[in-house]
Every structure is written in structure tokens, then in C-alpha cells.
Amino acid sequence: MPDTAPARTVHLGVDLTDAGAHPAAWRTVGSQAQRLFDAQRLVELVATAQRGLLDLVTLDDAFTLRPGRTGTVRGRLDAALVASRLAPRSAGVGLVPTVTTTHTEPFHVSKAIATIDHVSSGRAGWQVGWSTTPAEAAAFGRKAAQDEPDAVAEADEAVEVVTRLWDSWEDDAEIRDVATGRFVDREKLHYVDHEGIRFAVKGPSITPRPPQGQPPVVVRADSPASFDLAARRADVVRVRAATRDEAVALRARVRDAAADAGRDPDALRVLVDAYVVVGDTRASAQARLDLLEDLEGVSWDTDSLTHVGTARDLAVTVEEWTSAGAADGFLLRPSSLSTDLDAVVDGVVPLLQGAGLFRTAYPGTTLRDTLGLPHPANRYAAIA
């Protein structure tokens, strides 16, 4: 049954990839196209998201140039490395890079995300990625391209190994006793001893357990295979839904599938991807979208909630969808980061705060605190 409980605090994330979600965003006046690979630009964008008390920011990544028309932004910085740079230059907001499991090793993935979590004092997340194209396989030359079910199955096993490696140090494994010369309690380091279909990993990690214990795992569920992965493994599930009724059904399906997998559905956060063009009036928002579409030469087909209107209109949509049990929150994808992110933070957020739907301060210091997720027990310490 859909959750029709009274309105609750909504979770809001924002995608900071490229110049914005619309392919032509980098071509508009004020887009700062010359700064697309300037880390300081991302520091400024994260500061804006943090000013709005947003839960998290996401950074996409892949192993090939982006497909698309001639006018599409083709290159990207490494998302995990960017998040590491952003970590000590931010506070409060979660940092969630995409790190792909195909053509990579879980040991390296676990270290990368754990490092971001340490450097940020507990604000890292991991958006699980996988690759299926011949071009991506050719970039490594180690194996042929995989179909999606196979790549997602590999991602499933990779998540298992990564999370085991995060637990391979207990929270208090480090002693750092100068007098005795003992840095670590060896009894609190554990071999993961994973023998799977694709990976054999003994461990332990060389990086201490992340401050969050387990940084939240984010999965985009937009196919049967990825949906099953999300139900089994994700803390945050991203879905695409064009209507409120569709979102209600998807959220219920995710929760039911998680329960069938033996998980607590209340420990999941389901976020709907929302593409936004925000203007002072509905007409001005539509005019901005028309300009972007003229530059690109095709209409913007997002296959999910697309808002073209005022900040108040968007706040109303957020309230209506949340109260109907359609989502625990939204992953906002601004059409143009240089314009729409400020509109969200300065326009939408205050309206949601005034309605009692959004926080007025971060509830703690970690991303798990912000998402309302408890600090997980260490699986090895629990059986020791």
C-alpha cells in the first residue's frame, strides 16, 4: 500500500555533472563553459548546495566520452578524485561520486570511497556504476563488453566485496599508543575471505573503517536488473517517474522488493530524478527551455519528472508528491547549474522550510545522519 502518512521532511540532492542536465547548458550565456574542468567552479557549486542544506551532490562518471550530438560536453573529470578535493573544502553536504564496478577491482573502489569518507569526516556516498559498451571494454582490453544483466550481477558482487572491506577494520581497531608502539589491534582486523564468481579477495583493507562505517550506497534503478540490485544493496534508490502515480507505484515496488530480500524498507530512501528549469514566471522558465532546445536542435526528453515553472510551483510539486508517498525526496537535475541551482537554494528551499518540509540545519555531521540512517554494526565484530 502506498505510504499516505502526514508530510515528512523531504530529502533533496542535486546533480552537479557537466554544466547542467540539458546537453546545451554549456552553450548559454553565463554557463562558465571555460570553467567546466575548473575544480574551483565545483567548490562554488557545492558551497551553494551546502548553503541550501541539501542532502547530497552527485557527480557522474564513465570510461568513455559521452555519446551525443556534436554540441554535447564530451569529457569529464574523475568523479572520485573530484570528491576527494571537494571533501576538505565543504561541510554538511554529502559527496556522492559514481564509481564503476566494471573493469575495476573492489579493493580499489573500497579504498577510494573510504578515503573520501575520512577526508570529509563522514560525508561520502557511492553511486554504483557499470559499463556495457564495446568502447569501454576496449579502453581496458581485458575482456569483452558485457550485457547489462551480467554487468549488474558483477556490480552486485562488487558491492558485497566493497562493503566487507569497509568492515574489515573494526571502528576501534586503531590504538595509536605511542608509549607501547602499538598502532593497531590486530585482533580487530579481519580477513573478508570472499570467494565469489568474479572476485576472490582476502583482505583486510589497508584503509581504516570509514567514519560512517558504511558510506551510503546509491543505485539508479531504471531497468529490471538494476531494480533488483537496488532492492538488495542500495541505501538510496534513484528512480525515474514522469507522474506522481508512477512514482507511488515505483516506491512501493522498491520497498516491497527490499522487504522480500530481508531488508527493512524504512531504511531505504527513494529519490525521484527531477529535471528542473526555474524562472520568475512560468513564461520565463519556458523561454529558457525553448532557448536550450533551439541550441540543441531537439526537444528535451527526460523520461522523468520535468518541472518548467516557478520556485513556488516546484515547492508545491515536492510537497504533493512527498505527502502522497511518491518519494522520500528528489535528486534535482538543474537544466543549467549556473542558473537553476541558485533558484532552488534561494527560492524552493525557503518555501519548503516555511511549510515544515525541509530542515533548517543539518541534523548531524555525516551523510547517514542527514539521510536518517543509523551507524551500521560491523559484521565481523558482531560475530567475534
Side-chain angles (χ1 to χ4, degrees):
M1 294 292 292
D3 180 358
T4 56
R8 54 194 179 277
T9 300
V10 68
H11 297 285
L12 294 178
V14 63
D15 183 12
L16 296 187
T17 306
D18 301 332
H22 197 286
W26 69 276
R27 300 170 63 188
T28 60
V29 175
S31 68
Q32 299 184 312
Q34 73 280 7
R35 300 183 66 202
L36 276 177
F37 303 128
D38 180 350
Q40 184 58 34
R41 180 185 74 95
L42 286 166
V43 170
E44 293 163 6
L45 290 172
V46 168
T48 301
Q50 183 175 295
R51 176 164 54 83
L53 302 174
L54 302 190
D55 293 59
L56 55 89
V57 301
T58 59
L59 299 161
D60 252 342
D61 206 351
F63 288 142
T64 55
L65 295 174
R66 287 190 64 196
R69 299 161 60 86
T70 303
T72 301
V73 175
R74 304 302 296 274
R76 283 178 178 162
L77 301 177
D78 183 285
L81 292 178
V82 167
S84 291
R85 178 180 174 86
L86 294 171
R89 295 168 174 81
S90 59
V93 69
L95 305 170
V96 185
T98 295
V99 181
T100 302
T101 55
T102 319
H103 311 298
T104 58
E105 295 295 331
F107 192 88
H108 297 148
V109 175
S110 74
K111 285 180 61 227
I113 300 300
T115 296
I116 298 168
D117 208 46
H118 279 285
V119 176
S120 67
S121 300
R123 291 181 290 111
W126 171 30
Q127 184 161 269
V128 182
W130 51 87
S131 60
T132 59
T133 69
E136 289 168 303
F140 292 83
R142 296 190 301 181
K143 59 182 178 181
Q146 298 162 246
D147 61 21
E148 187 188 40
D150 187 49
V152 173
E154 183 176 55
D156 187 294
E157 186 176 340
V159 174
E160 173 68 19
V161 178
V162 168
T163 56
R164 284 181 176 273
L165 286 165
W166 286 339
D167 277 350
S168 64
W169 290 54
E170 294 185 32
D171 287 323
D172 57 350
E174 294 175 78
I175 300 172
R176 303 189 189 188
D177 189 325
V178 175
T180 64
R182 295 182 69 205
F183 183 83
V184 66
D185 183 345
R186 291 179 178 271
E187 297 299 316
K188 295 187 176 184
L189 297 185
H190 302 278
Y191 293 114
V192 303
D193 287 329
H194 175 83
E195 292 283 348
I197 296 174
R198 296 169 174 82
F199 304 108
V201 179
K202 188 174 183 64
S205 176
I206 65 169
T207 306
R209 194 178 194 224
Q212 295 181 97
Q214 298 279 326
V217 172
V218 180
V219 174
R220 282 184 280 201
D222 52 13
S223 67
S226 60
F227 189 93
D228 290 344
L229 173 65
R232 289 193 303 272
R233 301 291 187 182
D235 300 293
V236 177
V237 183
R238 287 178 58 182
V239 299
R240 291 189 176 200
T243 67
R244 188 173 64 188
D245 288 346
E246 183 184 1
V248 168
L250 280 172
R251 179 169 179 266
R253 181 182 165 198
V254 169
R255 289 170 60 84
D256 289 346
D260 290 343
R263 304 182 63 202
D264 177 6
D266 290 333
L268 295 180
R269 303 292 177 262
V270 180
L271 307 184
V272 174
D273 276 13
Y275 295 79
V276 299
V277 186
V278 183
D280 292 335
T281 65
R282 294 177 186 177
S284 65
Q286 185 62 54
R288 285 186 51 229
L289 178 58
D290 291 343
L291 171 62
L292 290 167
E293 291 188 337
D294 286 344
L295 289 171
E296 184 66 7
V298 295
S299 61
W300 197 29
D301 184 8
T302 67
D303 195 30
S304 193
L305 171 62
T306 303
H307 168 83
V308 183
T310 67
R312 184 169 296 280
D313 292 335
L314 182 52
V316 168
T317 298
V318 169
E319 181 173 5
E320 290 178 347
W321 283 45
T322 305
S323 63
D328 299 303
F330 298 84
L331 197 290
L332 303 175
R333 304 200 64 189
S335 66
S336 176
L337 287 170
S338 63
T339 302
D340 293 306
L341 180 56
D342 281 319
V344 166
V345 167
D346 297 326
V348 180
V349 167
L351 291 169
L352 293 175
Q353 289 170 330
L357 283 171
F358 197 64
R359 69 182 66 88
T360 56
Y362 283 113
T365 60
T366 73
L367 178 54
R368 294 188 76 92
D369 291 337
T370 301
L371 293 170
L373 301 174
H375 186 91
N378 186 304
R379 73 192 74 190
Y380 299 111
I383 64 174

